[in-house]
Amino acid sequence: AARVTFMKNGVERKISASSLAWQIKLGDFVRSSFFTNFVMLLIVGNAVLLGVEIDISSRVGQYEVPLWFGIVNTILVFIFVTETILKLLAVGCNEFWKGEECLWNGFDFVIVSLSVAET
C-alpha cells in the first residue's frame, strides 16, 4: 500500500493513502450542503417535536404522553451521536477540539452528551 508523508504540528507523519482517502471523502461528506442541511432539518424537527411533547404533557400529564415521542427522540439522539462521531473521524481529534470549529464542536458534543444522558 502506498504511504503518504506529511507534516503535522512540526512532526513528520506517514499514513497509508487509503486511510487518507476515506478520511478526505468523509470530510467532504460531513461538510456537504446535503449533510449540513439534513442535520439542520433534524434539529428543527427535534425542537418542534419537543415543543409538541411539552404541550401534550402539560394537558394530559407527563406519564400519558404517547410512547412514539420517546421512540422518535431516541432515534434522533442516535443520529446526532452518529453525526458527532462522523465529524470526529473526518477531521481527527486534534482538529475537532482545537481547530476552526472547535467551539461549535464542543457545544455540539455537550448537547449530544446531555441528550444521551437524558435518553
Side-chain angles (χ1 to χ4, degrees):
R3 309 268 308 154
V4 176
T5 302
F6 65 98
M7 295 292 287
K8 186 169 184 177
N9 300 330
V11 178
E12 185 176 291
R13 299 181 188 255
K14 293 182 182 185
I15 61 170
S16 70
S18 61
S19 291
L20 186 60
W22 75 259
Q23 193 171 19
I24 290 171
K25 287 179 184 177
L26 185 58
D28 290 345
F29 176 68
V30 300
R31 290 181 191 97
S32 71
S33 59
F34 168 78
F35 187 80
T36 303
N37 291 336
F38 177 70
V39 171
M40 284 193 306
L41 179 67
L42 291 178
I43 291 168
V44 170
N46 191 35
V48 169
L49 182 70
L50 179 62
V52 171
E53 183 179 3
I54 289 170
D55 183 56
I56 290 173
S57 80
S58 72
R59 292 181 195 181
V60 299
Q62 180 179 354
Y63 301 105
E64 300 298 321
V65 174
L67 180 63
W68 67 267
F69 279 101
I71 294 169
V72 172
N73 184 55
T74 301
I75 292 168
L76 287 170
V77 169
F78 175 78
I79 293 170
F80 294 140
V81 167
T82 303
E83 176 224 359
T84 303
I85 291 169
L86 289 176
K87 279 182 166 179
L88 188 57
L89 290 172
V91 300
C93 262
N94 196 44
E95 181 68 21
F96 188 86
W97 294 112
K98 297 178 184 177
E100 273 184 40
E101 297 185 5
C102 67
L103 294 176
W104 279 117
N105 292 338
F107 175 75
D108 203 21
F109 185 84
V110 168
I111 297 298
V112 170
S113 297
L114 290 171
S115 295
V116 168
E118 189 267 335
T119 302

